[in-house]
Amino acid sequence: MGIEIERKFLVRGDRWRALATGTLYCQGYIPSVDGVTVRARIVGDTGYLTLKSKTEGSRRSEFEYPIPVEDAREILETLCQRPFIEKIRYKIPIDPVIWEIDEFHGDNEGLILAEVELDDENQSVNLPDWIDREVTGDPRYFNSNLVRFPYKLWKS
């Protein structure tokens, strides 16, 4: 069984942009219950199917499998909720971790999140100066929730 331990933060400023180039991601979620998520994703010309358990703190079970991109497209078009999550992901290695910065587009335009996967829940991590407030425990920032309640609806 795969375990994902992840912390999530808001991003401030643009200093991080000079540190990496991005890759386009398109992903959708199949309706599920009890905090379980089933995701289809296309990254470049590769498809993925991912199953995740309910999040407990910063930890959850994760199973991810590469699938043919044609299958991923079919799953997105026929089984997934709308809107899709459209984002550009930037990966920035800062020893000993890799920061993943997601710049959202579409209905989540304007939202930029950074996440870091850890080996242990108690692992300390140095926060770069472009990291803002931690939002790990805030379900509004889960990608699966951004489908149902996109960032564009948060603004008053």
Side-chain angles (χ1 to χ4, degrees), residues 27-31 37-40 76 79-81 85 143-144 147:
Q27 61 194 48
Y29 291 84
I30 297 172
T37 60
V38 179
R39 175 184 73 204
L76 283 166
L79 301 177
C80 293
Q81 297 171 304
I85 297 294
N143 281 252
S144 58
V147 170

Side-chain angles (χ1 to χ4, degrees), residues 7-18:
R7 291 177 64 192
K8 199 174 278 207
F9 301 84
L10 295 174
V11 173
R12 66 173 156 236
D14 283 331
R15 289 201 47 216
W16 59 272
R17 288 186 188 279

Side-chain angles (χ1 to χ4, degrees), residues 20-149:
T21 56
T23 303
L24 180 63
Y25 282 55
C26 179
Q27 61 194 48
Y29 291 84
I30 297 172
S32 56
V33 295
D34 297 329
V36 172
T37 60
V38 179
R39 175 184 73 204
R41 172 186 272 178
I42 297 174
V43 180
D45 57 2
T46 304
Y48 295 93
L49 186 64
T50 306
L51 298 91
K52 296 185 181 193
S53 69
K54 181 178 181 179
T55 301
E56 303 287 335
S58 60
R59 178 185 184 104
R60 63 183 165 180
S61 299
E62 177 182 48
F63 305 89
E64 183 168 76
Y65 306 97
I67 61 173
V69 71
E70 298 81 16
D71 289 358
R73 280 191 192 102
E74 181 76 16
I75 292 168
L76 283 166
E77 290 301 321
T78 62
L79 301 177
C80 293
Q81 297 171 304
R82 301 290 199 285
F84 296 140
I85 297 294
E86 302 166 288
K87 62 187 178 182
I88 297 178
R89 174 165 283 176
Y90 303 83
K91 294 186 179 185
I92 302 173
I94 300 176
D95 285 336
V97 298
I98 296 175
W99 286 91
E100 295 179 339
I101 292 78
D102 289 339
E103 180 178 20
F104 290 85
H105 297 287
D107 287 352
N108 292 294
E109 185 81 35
L111 180 60
I112 301 175
L113 293 174
E115 53 189 54
V116 62
E117 290 197 20
L118 305 172
D119 296 323
D120 179 284
E121 287 179 281
N122 298 314
Q123 179 180 343
S124 64
V125 62
N126 293 324
L127 303 180
D129 63 357
W130 36 265
I131 291 295
D132 198 356
R133 175 172 62 90
E134 184 165 6
V135 295
T136 299
D138 189 336
R140 293 179 302 165
Y141 295 97
F142 296 173
N143 281 252
S144 58
N145 288 337
L146 289 170
V147 170
R148 290 186 293 272
F149 192 55

